Amino acid sequence: MQKTAIIAEYNPFHNGHLFQAKTARLETGAEAVIAVMSGQFTQRGEPAAFDKWSRARAAIETGAIDLVIELPTRYGVQRADRFASAAVAIAERVGCQTLSFGSESGDATAICQAASADVESTPAYRQAFQEALQSGKSPAKASSEAFSALYPAFDLTLPNNILAYHYAKAARTIQLHTVERLGAGYHDTGLADVMSATGVRAHYLEEGIVRAVPLATRALFRQRTMAHWSTYWPVLQYKLRTTPQPVLDELVGIDASLSPRLIEAGLEPTFERALGQLQTRRYTRTAIQRALVSVLIHFQRSELPDRFDDVPYVRPLAFNGVGRLVLKDIKKTVPLLSKYHPDLAFEARVTEAYRLPLGDESLREHVQTPQFIDSK
């Protein structure tokens, strides 16, 4: 069976995602389109707008996706290279021949050439990177600036290009296919028929109106409460005010220079006020948000995976008839988790942290099983 993977967050699934998935199916000749999707928190360190099961179900209901597999939180709330390594490894493990993704460049050859140039291994890159760090830039900014200075043919400052580059670096057996990003960029909050996920969420929070999404996603906004950081601020305030600094220092993304600033920020009345206090050239919004996810779920450095290209299991969240055939085909060689298992203990903790401020008893990890949706 010809299988194409898409690495996604669907936060939420919008018209741009629909276009990309349909184009990927057509251009790669896919009999099955499989989404490897982040769970309750996103790569950039935000609570997902809706829980992972609801987002997976909506993706299947659009008819564009046949199977949604979870990217576990320990791998998903990470910098781009680690995120990409884990997601690509899952896609290859379930036998996908092609990985399709959106990018600003729309040119898979250029992306592969940039990845194969191996710029980061050169002394010139290491020197430029260190100089940028010493000037006060964040590691991510220092890396992109150093890369661009040495390889100007590819813009590594654009969000989707960054992920595309790391997908190409991580790929071993899978072929790359890209669709030029349609409409708004990731951070664009303007109104259009195709909006970014950020724009969809922002417009809903400001106006109470849902735009630029399929019917399945529109239903989510009617049926469920949209999660956002403000919902979690009271819990975070409690944790930041009561967790000893040495304990904070042991959490992923936090060090002895950030922890006292986090404790101080916990005195702020709102999440946005706290974030404004914490952001610096060194600590970007994304870095701070990931650190706050670590606080919320108590993600200790000792719990980091030994390798990010070796996820120990595959967990389906939702599937249709085609997806069922894929699962039947791969279960002989891939460890599938369809029911609660001790390997999911970390995810259970994450889900409790996610669902409790929402007051949603239905989201308990222990009672969830993969959802079959007849989307045809």
Side-chain angles (χ1 to χ4, degrees), residues 289-357:
Q289 288 183 159
R290 286 197 199 115
L292 291 173
V293 171
S294 289
V295 174
L296 189 65
I297 66 176
H298 203 77
F299 187 6
Q300 301 172 82
R301 276 196 291 276
S302 61
E303 295 175 303
L304 278 169
D306 293 329
R307 291 175 53 180
F308 286 88
D309 62 348
D310 185 22
V311 181
Y313 60 82
V314 170
R315 187 190 191 190
L317 296 176
F319 56 92
N320 61 16
V322 174
R324 176 180 278 164
L325 292 176
V326 173
L327 293 173
K328 184 177 180 180
D329 182 49
I330 66 174
K331 70 178 182 181
K332 302 167 188 174
T333 56
V334 174
L336 287 177
L337 296 187
S338 297
K339 294 188 279 188
Y340 187 76
H341 185 277
D343 283 352
L344 298 177
F346 187 86
E347 293 303 325
R349 191 170 90 209
V350 170
T351 290
E352 289 302 288
Y354 178 84
R355 73 164 192 87
L356 281 169

Side-chain angles (χ1 to χ4, degrees), residues 159-183:
N160 288 279
N161 276 0
I162 293 170
L163 283 172
Y165 171 81
H166 288 294
Y167 295 155
K169 294 281 283 187
R172 291 169 292 187
T173 61
I174 203 164
Q175 299 297 308
L176 302 185
H177 169 268
T178 187
V179 178
E180 186 172 1
R181 189 178 177 95
L182 184 66

Side-chain angles (χ1 to χ4, degrees), residues 66-90:
D66 300 304
L67 169 64
V68 179
I69 294 171
E70 179 177 12
L71 176 60
T73 303
R74 285 189 291 182
Y75 303 83
V77 185
Q78 296 290 341
R79 66 189 192 223
D81 59 331
R82 291 176 169 182
F83 174 93
S85 290
V88 170
I90 291 173

